[in-house]
């Protein structure tokens, strides 16, 4: 048969479909099988559709195979000596029709590839959602990295794939995201909520405000509320971290907020309330709490801190005094003395200062002589006669004498130059204060009658190891009293406890009334 261009065209078109039908018409089964294998291999690799599609090199190779098959089929058909089973015109029409198969397949594959990409993006969105949910079930500190990772995923979806279905869901997800991060706030946990809400205020730095809408400023009100509630709940406690400065951060960050306006009256009310609870909760504990409240309040910024700077002064003053008295009544004499000494030093203008000093003196005596702490020293001094109480010092160091009874106070007697210590108490009793009366330093008290407690303290520096000595004389009307203090070194060893003892003195009788001698 002569060469037939129509037949060659038909075979070439049928081979170009990738189905090898041109070879089938020519009964070239081996080459038809080659076409089937090539197309099958392509389908095996390409399906199901992946987001990245088929490798470009593979597509080029497959197209080259189709072109070679079309050219080879046309060449073979042109030289064939047998007729085709169908008319060439019908074969051409069929070839043109069947070319729609690979073209339609390519379009369908492109759609499948797009859907695969969408699924990947939706999966990525789902992963971000699950990360947010997991982070919300932890403390913010533990879940913060998860929140940051999810936010980066949301931002990437919207920025890199704005037309995808996943990107269109991001605004909805951001609403859920804000609720998840703010879980401590919605649960009423205002102190843990602070860091979470501060984090949310930074989100507009990385997410377009167009997507956020009202979310961009939503954290402000909850954060101001959390600052206030946390700060007030921790007021007076010893804390660290964000709780300690919550009220200060409120006033600095949201100075015009309604929460900021509540701080000053709320702190004043807290001070008043705690001051009124001293009897129930204990003056020492409440006073320390008031000190902490005052320290926080005075450190607040702006006019609020200035207005509150002295708000706790009077309650702390009253509380410190009451605390010292309580220590005394509870027989905690060392603590009572320290507390009331502090009171007397800090509040020099207080009407309670003198009594505070008297109680501190009685407490110091009671540390050595417990009976001195049986009752509080009376306020003021009784009227009536007073008896002279002369203290003479026969010791090398100055002596301080503390006394409490119907009246309370202290007196110092200077050191005796040239005086030495004694080897025993009996030697001291027989020899002390026996020399020239002008040799020994003296001091005189005028005491109302009654039972007293005395504490004799070494007030010099020559021998710091000299111990205190306490006694409890009774002062009777119509008598004069003399104490002679001296130092005994037991067993000849320096630094052993001092023993100071009173010596008798002749009585000075009142008119027409004779009185016995007294020690």
């Amino acid at each position: 048969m002569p060469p037939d261009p129509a037949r060659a065209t038909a075979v070439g078109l049928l081979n170009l479909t990738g189905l090898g039908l041109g070879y089938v018409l020519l009964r070239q089964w081996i080459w038809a099988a080659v076409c089937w294998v090539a197309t099958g291999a392509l389908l095996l690799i390409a399906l199901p559709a992946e987001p990245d599609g088929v490798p470009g090199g593979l597509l080029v190779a497959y197209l080259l195979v189709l072109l070679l098959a079309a050219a080879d089929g046309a060449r073979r058909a042109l030289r064939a000596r047998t007729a085709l089973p169908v008319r060439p015109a019908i074969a051409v029409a069929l070839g043109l029709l069947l070319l729609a198969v690979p073209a339609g397949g390519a379009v369908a594959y492109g759609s499948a590839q797009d859907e695969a990409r969408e699924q990947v993006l939706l999966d990525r969105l789902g992963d971000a959602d699950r990360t947010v949910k997991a982070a919300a079930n932890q403390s913010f500190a533990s879940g913060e990295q998860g929140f940051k990772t999810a936010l980066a995923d949301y931002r990437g979806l919207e920025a890199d794939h704005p037309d995808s279905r996943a990107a269109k869901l991001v605004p909805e997800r951001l609403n859920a995201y804000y609720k998840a991060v703010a879980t401590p706030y919605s649960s009423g946990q205002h102190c843990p909520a602070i860091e979470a809400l501060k984090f949310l205020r930074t989100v507009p730095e990385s997410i377009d405000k167009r997507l956020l809408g009202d979310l961009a400023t939503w954290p402000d009100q909850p954060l101001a509320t959390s600052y206030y509630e946390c700060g007030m709940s921790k007021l007076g406690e010893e804390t660290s971290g964000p709780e300690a400065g919550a009220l200060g951060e409120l006033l600095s960050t949201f100075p015009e907020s309604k929460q900021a306006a509540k701080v000053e009256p709320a702190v004043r009310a807290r001070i008043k309330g705690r001051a009124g609870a001293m009897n129930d909760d204990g003056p020492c504990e409440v006073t320390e709490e008031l000190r902490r409240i005052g320290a926080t309040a005075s450190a607040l910024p702006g006019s609020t801190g200035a207005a509150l700077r002295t708000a706790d002064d009077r309650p702390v003053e009253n509380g410190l005094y009451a605390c010292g008295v309580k220590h005394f009544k509870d027989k905690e004499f060392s603590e009572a003395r320290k507390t009331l000494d502090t009171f007397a030093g800090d509040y020099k203008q207080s009407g309670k200062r003198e009594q505070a000093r008297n109680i501190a003196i009685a407490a110091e005596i009671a540390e050595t002589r417990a009976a001195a702490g049986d009752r509080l020293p009376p306020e003021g001094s009784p009227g009536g006669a007073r008896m002279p109480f002369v203290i003479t010092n026969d010791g090398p160091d100055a002596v301080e004498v503390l006394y409490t009874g119907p009246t309370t106070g202290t007196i110092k007697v200077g050191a005796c130059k040239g005086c030495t210590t004694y080897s025993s108490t009996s030697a001291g009793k027989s020899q002390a204060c026996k020399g020239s009366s002008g040799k020994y330093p003296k001091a005189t008290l005028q005491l109302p009658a009654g039972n007293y407690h005395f504490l004799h303290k070494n007030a010099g520096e020559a021998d710091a190891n000299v111990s205190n000595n306490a006694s409890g004389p009774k002062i009777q009307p119509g008598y004069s009293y003399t104490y002679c203090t001296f130092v005994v070194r037991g067993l000849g060893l320096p630094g052993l406890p001092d023993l100071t003892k009173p010596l008798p003195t002749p009585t000075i009788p009142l008119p027409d009334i004779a009185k016995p001698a007294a020690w």
Side-chain angles (χ1 to χ4, degrees):
M1 294 182 64
D4 186 352
R7 182 175 53 187
T9 301
V11 171
L13 287 174
L14 289 171
N15 276 355
L16 196 59
T17 63
L19 302 177
L21 295 179
Y23 286 128
V24 171
L25 292 179
L26 295 176
R27 297 178 179 79
Q28 300 288 324
W29 303 109
I30 294 177
W31 291 108
V34 170
C35 291
W36 297 338
V37 169
T39 300
L42 178 66
L43 293 175
L44 186 63
I45 295 172
L47 297 177
E50 297 290 337
D52 295 332
V54 179
L58 180 62
L59 283 177
V60 171
Y62 180 70
L63 289 175
L64 184 59
V65 168
L66 292 184
L67 292 174
L68 289 175
D72 181 65
R75 178 183 63 81
R76 291 175 185 273
L78 194 62
R79 296 178 180 179
R81 295 292 181 261
T82 60
L84 296 178
V86 296
R87 293 180 181 181
I90 295 176
V92 169
L94 182 61
L96 290 173
L97 181 63
L98 290 178
L99 280 178
V101 174
V107 172
Y109 185 80
S111 297
Q113 186 178 357
D114 290 341
E115 181 60 27
R117 292 195 187 101
E118 289 285 359
Q119 287 301 320
V120 168
L121 296 177
L122 289 171
D123 289 344
R124 182 175 167 187
L125 182 69
D127 288 342
D129 294 343
R130 285 184 286 274
T131 300
V132 170
K133 185 176 181 180
N137 291 326
Q138 308 174 51
S139 67
F140 177 75
S142 300
E144 181 178 6
Q145 187 55 51
F147 286 130
K148 289 180 177 179
T149 299
L151 185 63
D153 288 339
Y154 292 145
R155 180 175 60 248
L157 287 171
E158 198 282 327
D160 299 337
H161 309 280
D163 296 326
S164 66
R165 296 203 304 270
K168 289 178 172 57
L169 293 173
V170 167
E172 174 188 325
R173 294 305 199 273
L174 289 174
N175 276 288
Y177 179 83
Y178 269 65
K179 290 180 181 178
V181 177
T183 296
Y185 173 76
S186 60
S187 301
Q189 303 174 44
H190 293 291
C191 291
I194 288 176
E195 288 304 310
L197 293 168
K198 286 171 67 176
F199 170 77
L200 284 179
R201 293 187 80 215
T202 67
V203 171
E205 298 174 5
S206 56
I207 296 290
D208 192 338
K209 291 184 179 180
R210 173 182 56 82
L211 290 175
L212 293 173
D214 293 341
L215 291 175
T217 57
W218 177 83
D220 291 357
Q221 184 73 12
L223 180 56
T225 298
S226 292
Y227 275 144
Y228 176 80
E229 296 295 342
C230 176
M232 291 304 300
S233 71
K234 298 296 182 181
L235 191 62
E237 296 183 10
E238 293 183 299
T239 60
S240 59
E243 297 88 347
L247 293 178
E249 289 197 48
L250 168 62
L251 294 171
S252 298
T253 309
F254 305 106
E256 304 300 324
S257 66
K258 64 180 182 180
Q259 292 85 353
K262 292 163 57 177
V263 171
E264 181 183 342
V267 172
R268 289 188 184 278
R270 178 68 61 82
I271 291 173
K272 182 178 180 180
R274 297 308 295 145
M278 284 194 184
N279 291 336
D280 295 330
D281 297 343
C284 299
E285 294 79 3
V286 172
T287 299
E288 284 305 307
E289 182 181 347
L290 287 170
R291 286 183 185 276
R292 294 192 291 268
I293 292 174
T296 298
S298 61
L300 293 175
S303 59
T304 301
L308 292 171
R309 200 143 291 150
T310 60
D312 69 321
D313 285 358
R314 183 53 60 88
V316 168
E317 177 182 339
N318 294 336
L320 189 62
Y321 179 82
C323 176
V325 171
K326 183 178 187 300
H327 280 312
F328 187 92
K329 291 180 177 180
D330 292 344
K331 310 299 183 183
E332 298 167 348
F333 299 120
S334 176
E335 292 301 318
R337 175 171 59 84
K338 293 175 185 177
T339 301
L340 293 169
D341 280 345
T342 298
F343 178 90
D346 290 349
Y347 301 102
K348 293 182 173 58
Q349 305 303 318
S350 172
K352 298 177 180 178
R353 182 172 185 255
E354 192 61 34
Q355 180 64 358
R357 294 177 66 184
N358 288 342
I359 300 174
I361 291 169
E364 186 170 359
I365 298 171
E367 289 182 61
T368 302
R369 183 177 175 83
D374 286 346
R375 60 183 61 85
L376 289 169
E379 297 189 38
S381 297
R386 291 176 179 265
M387 275 52 73
F389 193 97
V390 181
I391 302 170
T392 303
N393 185 22
D394 187 358
D397 289 332
V399 173
E400 182 180 9
V401 179
L402 284 65
Y403 59 92
T404 187
T407 187
T408 302
T410 66
I411 191 170
K412 281 189 177 181
V413 186
C416 178
K417 295 181 180 179
C419 291
T420 60
T421 59
Y422 291 88
S423 59
S424 65
T425 301
S426 58
K429 282 185 175 183
S430 62
Q431 300 174 35
C433 301
K434 298 299 185 183
S436 169
S437 61
K439 173 182 177 181
Y440 305 107
K442 300 178 185 294
T444 301
L445 297 171
Q446 298 293 333
L447 300 177
N451 293 317
Y452 284 83
H453 303 282
F454 280 80
L455 180 67
H456 309 270
K457 296 169 58 179
N458 181 52
E461 299 179 357
D463 192 345
N465 294 319
V466 176
S467 299
N468 300 338
N469 185 54
S471 60
K474 181 177 182 181
I475 305 299
Q476 301 183 54
Y479 284 75
S480 64
Y481 294 83
T482 298
Y483 261 39
C484 176
T485 63
F486 56 90
V487 180
V488 174
R489 294 191 184 278
L491 304 178
L493 297 175
L496 293 178
D498 301 346
L499 300 174
T500 57
K501 296 292 184 180
L503 291 179
T505 182
T507 63
I508 302 177
L510 296 174
D512 301 326
I513 301 176
K515 300 290 183 180
W519 287 84

